[in-house]
Amino acid sequence: MARDISNIKQDILKLKKIVKHNGFDRWRCVFTGFHTVTGEKTFFFIELYAAVSKVPAGIKNGNLSDNAVSSSYAVQDLLLSDQPAAVPSQPVVVLKAGIFGNSESIVEMQVPVSDITISKKNININGSVFFLDEQEFRGSVQQIRWNFSVRRQSVFAPGKICAGMYWAASGVETLFSGEIHVKDDVYLVSPGTSSGYIDRIWGKAYPYPFFHLSCSHLSSLISRTFLKNSCIAVQGMYTGSFAVFFASPENAQSCSFSLSRIKKNPHFSCIATDNTLHWTVSLEYRKFLLDLDVYSETNGMFVKTYTSPVNSGEQFEILCGAAGTGELRLYKRQGKNLELLEHAALEDVCCEYGAVSTTDSTG
């Protein structure tokens, strides 16, 4: 069994840093739960998002509402081009939670910065709204409330992965245990089936195309066994490269990658076919070749929209799903030949693809 990893420092939002500069910080977790009555498997997400844009020096931070996302962005949209030099606005923090693919279940609230307490050990919003430390995660937003114990099994914290962009996955594999309530429905979240994942991405602006895959539910098609403590995360694109983490200590060919940049001829694609999206990744590292094929049905996905901290006329749209399935193949070069080390089936894959869209601020 993998040891528990205490790495709460990777979850801490950098609010003080982004207040001084325009930028964003997104923390999120993804996990599965099972309905206590029907047994239905459901995919959930919870996230915190903070963004700071620049506004002209003549507008004080105090004139921008901490409680309304729309107010700060509306002010920026109405600014004239001959205004004074820009300064950072008051940060806006949004707490969002919901079920993948069910827009009616997705709820959010704007959180005043004054209500957030951040220390080296935890993030706390008014005690009951959001609390996260090394072992506990609880909170409530509108009709959704949750209470979990947390065990982070694998961590990947490359930090800076390109100019102005950072990423850290404090729980590439995370074991959640507890309950989540959605209105009157109760879902059990168990360590062995939670397929939990936690990460943060922060910086000056989102990279695009935005490309993400993560999974901790792997089964070997060679040995016909579940690969305990195995997981993978791929994050990109960054000027033509990926950040990649892969660990598979349980299979016959124990292998791990912890690479902040994959530069040697990486291949990726995300192609829509009928009602399905198909992600592919192929990358080489030393003598290893890793291939991924992931599929996600669009009816279980939804679009998250974030306003750009650089340009309020831009929005970053990320198509998200957590029910992806696919296969992983790991090869090792032996002279001129390739030896297949592992061929694994992937389930409960978190998959995202995003791009920038431009909004019309003229109305």
Side-chain angles (χ1 to χ4, degrees):
M1 178 177 176
R3 64 183 180 87
D4 295 352
I5 296 174
S6 297
N7 200 44
I8 186 65
K9 66 180 181 180
Q10 301 299 337
D11 296 322
I12 301 302
L13 300 179
K14 305 291 185 181
L15 290 180
K16 291 183 179 180
K17 183 172 292 186
I18 67 171
V19 166
K20 296 180 181 179
H21 311 281
N22 62 306
F24 76 95
D25 195 335
R26 186 190 76 169
W27 176 95
R28 58 84 180 268
C29 69
V30 178
F31 56 92
T32 61
F34 292 82
H35 197 281
T36 55
V37 176
T38 67
E40 179 185 4
K41 185 177 184 178
T42 305
F43 299 89
F44 296 91
F45 75 94
I46 301 169
E47 72 174 36
L48 279 175
Y49 179 73
V52 175
S53 304
K54 288 188 176 182
V55 299
I59 298 179
K60 298 180 179 179
N61 286 348
N63 292 338
L64 301 179
S65 169
D66 283 348
N67 297 295
V69 175
S70 60
S71 64
S72 62
Y73 295 139
V75 169
Q76 296 170 55
D77 290 341
L78 294 174
L79 297 175
L80 300 178
S81 59
D82 59 352
Q83 291 288 340
V87 297
S89 69
Q90 184 73 13
V92 173
V93 182
V94 180
L95 170 61
K96 183 180 292 189
I99 296 173
F100 281 86
N102 185 348
S103 59
E104 295 181 356
S105 76
I106 298 173
V107 296
E108 66 178 67
M109 65 180 295
Q110 286 77 50
V111 181
V113 175
S114 58
D115 289 351
I116 303 176
T117 302
I118 297 176
S119 70
K120 294 181 180 180
K121 295 183 178 181
N122 61 59
I123 303 173
N124 190 342
I125 303 176
N126 288 342
S128 61
V129 174
F130 185 100
F131 179 85
L132 174 72
D133 66 10
E134 292 177 348
Q135 297 180 330
E136 184 180 3
F137 181 35
R138 65 177 187 269
S140 176
V141 52
Q142 297 182 37
Q143 74 264 30
I144 298 179
R145 67 183 188 277
W146 61 93
N147 193 340
F148 304 131
S149 64
V150 180
R151 291 162 53 194
R152 300 167 178 82
Q153 302 289 83
S154 298
V155 60
F156 180 41
K160 188 174 183 179
I161 47 184
C162 68
M165 180 59 55
Y166 302 81
W167 178 52
S170 69
V172 183
E173 179 186 14
T174 301
L175 307 183
F176 291 104
S177 179
E179 294 182 348
I180 183 167
H181 297 242
V182 181
K183 296 182 180 178
D184 297 327
D185 294 314
V186 182
Y187 300 82
L188 290 179
V189 181
S190 303
T193 58
S194 62
S195 300
Y197 176 80
I198 301 175
D199 78 353
R200 276 181 58 233
I201 185 168
W202 69 102
K204 294 183 179 180
Y206 273 101
Y208 57 90
F210 184 90
F211 189 100
H212 176 87
L213 295 171
S214 55
C215 179
S216 58
H217 189 162
L218 288 76
S219 300
S220 176
L221 296 174
I222 297 176
S223 64
R224 301 295 176 181
T225 58
F226 178 72
L227 295 175
K228 292 178 59 179
N229 307 318
S230 296
C231 52
I232 187 166
V234 180
Q235 181 69 52
M237 291 287 293
Y238 306 106
T239 59
S241 71
F242 296 101
V244 177
F245 176 89
F246 173 61
S248 186
E250 301 293 331
N251 69 1
Q253 300 286 343
S254 179
C255 181
S256 64
F257 305 151
S258 297
L259 305 168
S260 60
R261 299 294 291 273
I262 286 285
K263 299 180 180 180
K264 185 179 179 181
N265 301 321
H267 166 78
F268 84 102
S269 67
C270 182
I271 300 173
T273 57
D274 296 327
N275 298 320
T276 303
L277 288 182
H278 180 200
W279 281 260
T280 60
V281 177
S282 182
L283 56 89
E284 295 183 45
Y285 172 65
R286 295 180 178 173
K287 294 184 178 181
F288 296 100
L289 173 64
L290 182 66
D291 285 336
L292 292 171
D293 278 283
V294 174
Y295 298 86
S296 182
E297 295 183 1
T298 55
N299 61 7
M301 305 180 74
F302 70 107
V303 176
K304 290 182 185 177
T305 301
Y306 304 92
T307 300
S308 168
V310 176
N311 182 350
S312 61
E314 288 184 347
Q315 289 187 332
F316 202 83
E317 297 180 343
I318 302 178
L319 184 62
C320 310
T325 59
E327 295 185 2
L328 174 151
R329 292 176 176 83
L330 177 66
Y331 302 90
K332 185 176 182 180
R333 293 193 180 278
Q334 301 286 1
K336 296 182 179 180
N337 300 318
L338 286 175
E339 177 189 359
L340 179 64
L341 299 183
E342 187 58 271
H343 181 194
L346 308 178
E347 296 183 47
D348 305 336
V349 184
C350 178
C351 33
E352 297 176 321
Y353 190 84
V356 171
S357 66
T358 303
T359 60
D360 185 0
S361 62
T362 63

